[in-house]
Amino acid sequence: MDEGGTPLLPDSLVYQIFLSLGPADVLSAGLVCRQWQAVSRDEFLWREQFYRYYQVARDVPRHPAATSWYEEFQRLYDTVPCVEVQTLKEHTDQVLHLSFSHSGYQFASCSKDCTVKIWNNDLTISLLHSADMRPYNWSYTQFSQFNQDDSLLLASGVFLGPHNSSSGEIVVISLDNFALLSRVRNKPYDVFGCWLTETSLISGNLHRIGDITSCSVLWLNNAFQDVESENVNVVKRLFKIQNLNASTIRTVMVADCGRFDSPDLLLDAGTPGASPSRVFDLGSEGEDEAAGPAPAPEHPKERLRRFLDGLLDARAQPQLAECALETKVAELLAQGRTKPPERSAAGAGNKLLIFTTGCLTYSPHQIGIKQILPHQMTTAGPVLGEGRGSDAFFDALDHVIDVHGHIIGMGLSPDNRYLYVNSRAWPSGSVVADPMQPPPIAEEIDLLVFDLKTMREVKRALRAHRAYTPNDECFFIFLDVSRDFVARPSCSGAEDRHGYIWDRHYNICLAKLRHQDVVNSVVFSPQEQELLLTASDDATIKAWRSPRTVRIHQAPRPRPRPFFSWFASQRR
């Protein structure tokens, strides 16, 4: 300033100087005088700082809910839970899974030490209860989920049966007195299980039909075994689905269609220049329509008879391998014995059953989606699929999403509309010749996003890190999605010891959370996305808070004035 208070440098020159500074230096310079402070809050300046600092592509627009570039920069810098505030060491072996209650007041953890631990989530986290599952012949616990009103906890694990055969089991634990209310068998164990309603849960069972052919039955189970009404069953068959080429249904979860209409602006702004999204629906098989009236469809039994006759007469060319022959016969048998989906308009009462599956190999490369209608959400009514026609043996899926790779993780957005999928792609143009020999998987881990309302792929996020674990050693990991962020564990294998936090809108990695071993599960508090928990093979659980929250919690509390201090002491 000169003696008259007039700036010696025009705003445009100060702006150009500030462009060459980093964000912290710009804020410091803004404290010098009013002119510099005004320039340091310039929207165009912070737009440049944002794209440069976070390395966001210039064609990605600002978050639709953001009011300024300065505040958006501050949000990503100050509200990401990346500061370690507590390490929990009560587990004695690898910690495999974490889950929060819907209120956020409690969370549960599962571990190779065969315990399910329930924790109080306060400013300082403390252990509330530990349930040892070894007396029930469990090998380890692997998954947990709170019901909607946080009165019950579902926990699943690996159960050691006769002759050391391993399958799964699900238990329901009361959160009032920690009593074990029910036990449900679950096969294979990586179905995990999930809640459908507040008092009913879904489990699985696997039935072998041939060497590489089977069927999965999904059961609806009452959480309470002592059902008094004769009109209510303890269990009821929900769906029966055919499995081909050694595949099985795994990792079941439920999305609530009634929550789709909640505002979610994070994915509405499409990326300019992006390729058209794919649509996933079973629909028709894409056969060309011939001119004139279509011929009458051939009965499935007749197709099967002609196929077998061709084999016996050596007319089937080329000759099929044993596995391919079994798959072909199973497909033909099922064509006439599969119940088509029940069509219903999406409504507030409908839910979607989502799971991993496949049709080419045992490696989970597809996502199956089956609508659950309101009348199917109760154990009342016929048992074991009574009321079906003799031909309706299997249930058809409503939608199938093929990711052309190995699925290693799935998670739902808070409004249940978007499905986030971690996958490692197969080579382009790869063909599965042997179902027991899936294609090699890529080192890069892709994060795919699907809109469950439109059944379209929304966008493909950038790749956070590499993984080198081969196909047959790659296991499922648990990612989580909050309003603004996606948290991803490291892939299986000792090559990575971090969890990752990504922004949902900008598709950028914002933080790496370090452990001493592989990270298996990450979970945001449903009420406070600035709190994140991570679980690792190093037998610890770490709590992470945002820099903003840490400052608030560490700020010294004002000392009470003498009068109020005296007044409080007189009331004791």
Side-chain angles (χ1 to χ4, degrees):
M1 298 285 186
D2 60 15
E3 293 181 357
T6 303
L8 296 175
L9 295 176
D11 287 356
S12 59
L13 185 55
V14 175
Y15 175 83
Q16 291 299 324
I17 294 173
F18 282 10
L19 278 178
S20 64
L21 303 178
D25 293 332
V26 169
L27 293 175
S28 298
L31 300 176
V32 172
C33 64
R34 292 180 180 177
Q35 180 204 15
W36 286 21
Q37 181 173 9
V39 176
S40 71
R41 292 296 190 271
D42 184 87
E43 271 292 278
F44 292 102
L45 173 64
W46 281 101
R47 179 182 183 276
E48 292 301 311
Q49 291 283 357
F50 184 92
Y51 282 116
R52 186 170 60 195
Y53 184 87
Y54 292 111
Q55 298 182 0
V56 177
R58 296 279 175 162
D59 58 359
V60 177
R62 192 177 70 189
H63 190 298
T67 58
S68 73
W69 284 105
Y70 173 76
E71 291 181 358
E72 189 68 350
F73 188 104
Q74 187 180 41
R75 177 182 73 84
L76 297 189
Y77 191 87
D78 213 25
T79 65
V80 178
C82 58
V83 180
E84 181 183 339
V85 295
Q86 194 171 354
T87 301
L88 309 175
K89 301 181 179 180
E90 279 78 355
H91 281 290
T92 59
D93 207 335
Q94 302 170 4
V95 187
L96 302 180
H97 185 257
L98 299 167
S99 65
F100 260 108
S101 64
H102 295 83
S103 67
Y105 295 146
Q106 296 177 346
F107 68 90
S109 58
C110 297
S111 168
K112 282 287 186 74
D113 66 11
C114 207
T115 65
V116 180
K117 297 188 187 298
I118 302 171
W119 308 78
N120 262 331
N121 177 35
D122 207 337
L123 187 57
T124 299
I125 297 170
S126 58
L127 182 63
L128 180 62
H129 178 74
S130 181
D132 186 359
M133 300 305 297
R134 282 171 291 195
Y136 302 97
N137 289 334
W138 281 31
S139 177
Y140 57 88
T141 60
Q142 61 177 355
F143 178 82
S144 65
Q145 187 181 54
F146 291 79
N147 70 341
Q148 191 61 40
D149 65 2
D150 294 337
S151 62
L152 304 172
L153 179 70
L154 172 157
S156 72
V158 177
F159 173 83
L160 296 178
H163 310 295
N164 293 324
S165 63
S166 64
S167 61
E169 190 168 69
I170 300 171
V171 297
V172 176
I173 299 172
S174 168
L175 294 174
D176 290 332
N177 55 13
F178 305 114
L180 195 152
L181 301 179
S182 62
R183 297 170 62 187
V184 177
R185 291 294 171 89
N186 189 42
K187 185 176 182 179
Y189 56 81
D190 51 3
V191 168
F192 296 125
C194 65
W195 290 105
L196 178 60
T197 69
E198 289 186 354
T199 58
S200 60
L201 58 125
I202 297 174
S203 66
N205 201 356
L206 184 67
H207 301 278
R208 294 290 178 188
I209 299 175
D211 290 337
I212 59 170
T213 309
S214 64
C215 69
S216 290
V217 179
L218 297 175
W219 295 89
L220 189 60
N221 306 267
N222 197 299
F224 305 95
Q225 292 182 335
D226 52 343
V227 177
E228 297 179 359
S229 172
E230 62 181 11
N231 297 319
V232 178
N233 311 307
V234 175
V235 297
K236 187 174 76 171
R237 191 172 81 182
L238 191 59
F239 301 119
K240 185 174 184 179
I241 299 168
Q242 184 189 47
N243 302 317
L244 300 174
N245 289 317
S247 66
T248 62
I249 286 178
R250 309 173 185 176
T251 322
V252 297
M253 60 176 61
V254 171
D256 187 351
C257 301
R259 299 168 65 180
F260 284 1
D261 292 331
S262 60
D264 187 348
L265 302 174
L266 297 167
L267 296 170
D268 289 347
T271 303
S275 58
S277 58
R278 294 175 289 171
V279 183
F280 300 95
D281 201 331
L282 287 181
S284 63
E285 298 180 0
E287 297 177 355
D288 296 332
E289 295 184 3
E298 187 179 17
H299 195 277
K301 291 183 179 178
E302 181 62 25
R303 285 201 298 270
L304 178 60
R305 186 190 64 78
R306 286 197 306 103
F307 175 74
L308 295 177
D309 287 346
L311 289 175
L312 293 175
D313 295 343
R315 293 196 306 266
Q317 296 293 335
Q319 293 296 320
L320 295 177
E322 184 176 342
C323 288
L325 176 61
E326 179 182 323
T327 298
K328 185 64 176 179
V329 171
E331 287 179 321
L332 291 172
L333 281 171
Q335 283 179 3
R337 307 182 68 188
T338 299
K339 179 182 178 182
E342 294 184 50
R343 297 301 178 184
S344 172
N350 295 351
K351 297 185 179 183
L352 297 178
L353 182 67
I354 302 170
F355 47 84
T356 63
T357 182
C359 65
L360 302 175
T361 175
Y362 69 84
S363 174
H365 59 95
Q366 292 180 327
I367 299 166
I369 299 176
K370 182 70 177 171
Q371 191 176 54
I372 307 176
L373 303 180
H375 70 84
Q376 297 171 317
M377 297 182 196
T378 173
T379 53
V383 187
L384 303 181
E386 292 175 5
R388 292 171 178 260
S390 59
D391 290 337
F393 191 69
F394 297 117
D395 292 289
L397 301 183
D398 295 311
H399 304 279
V400 174
I401 301 173
D402 199 322
V403 304
H404 304 288
H406 191 123
I407 299 170
I408 58 173
M410 295 195 302
L412 288 167
S413 62
D415 67 351
N416 278 210
R417 176 171 174 175
Y418 298 100
L419 178 67
Y420 285 72
V421 180
N422 261 347
S423 74
R424 294 172 62 182
W426 291 338
S428 177
S430 60
V431 176
V432 181
D434 183 349
M436 306 311 294
Q437 296 291 328
I441 52 179
E443 295 176 356
E444 295 82 7
I445 300 176
D446 293 327
L447 181 61
L448 312 176
V449 186
F450 301 98
D451 186 342
L452 296 177
K453 189 173 184 178
T454 64
M455 294 300 161
R456 294 178 179 268
E457 182 178 3
V458 178
K459 65 171 66 174
R460 182 185 298 265
L462 299 177
R463 293 164 176 173
H465 58 284
R466 289 174 173 261
Y468 305 98
T469 310
N471 208 339
D472 57 351
E473 297 178 15
C474 200
F475 57 84
F476 196 86
I477 55 179
F478 298 94
L479 59 90
D480 197 28
V481 186
S482 71
R483 184 187 70 246
D484 295 326
F485 307 123
V486 181
R488 305 167 65 185
S490 56
C491 185
S492 53
E495 68 275 359
D496 198 331
R497 300 173 180 178
H498 294 85
Y500 296 84
I501 301 178
W502 283 53
D503 182 82
R504 288 180 64 186
H505 179 71
Y506 300 107
N507 289 338
I508 53 174
C509 185
L510 297 171
K512 294 175 65 176
L513 313 177
R514 182 168 180 78
H515 273 266
Q516 298 302 310
D517 210 328
V518 175
V519 177
N520 298 310
S521 178
V522 292
V523 61
F524 290 99
S525 167
Q527 302 298 327
E528 182 187 5
Q529 69 170 357
E530 295 181 42
L531 169 62
L532 177 75
L533 304 175
T534 57
S536 170
D537 278 0
D538 63 15
T540 68
I541 301 168
K542 290 189 177 184
W544 309 80
R545 292 189 180 273
S546 67
R548 185 184 71 89
T549 306
V550 170
R551 286 198 311 275
I552 293 173
H553 290 165
Q554 291 180 347
R557 297 182 179 180
R559 298 180 62 184
R561 289 156 54 185
F563 171 80
F564 291 102
S565 178
W566 172 84
F567 184 76
S569 66
Q570 298 302 308
R571 296 187 62 182
R572 294 193 185 101

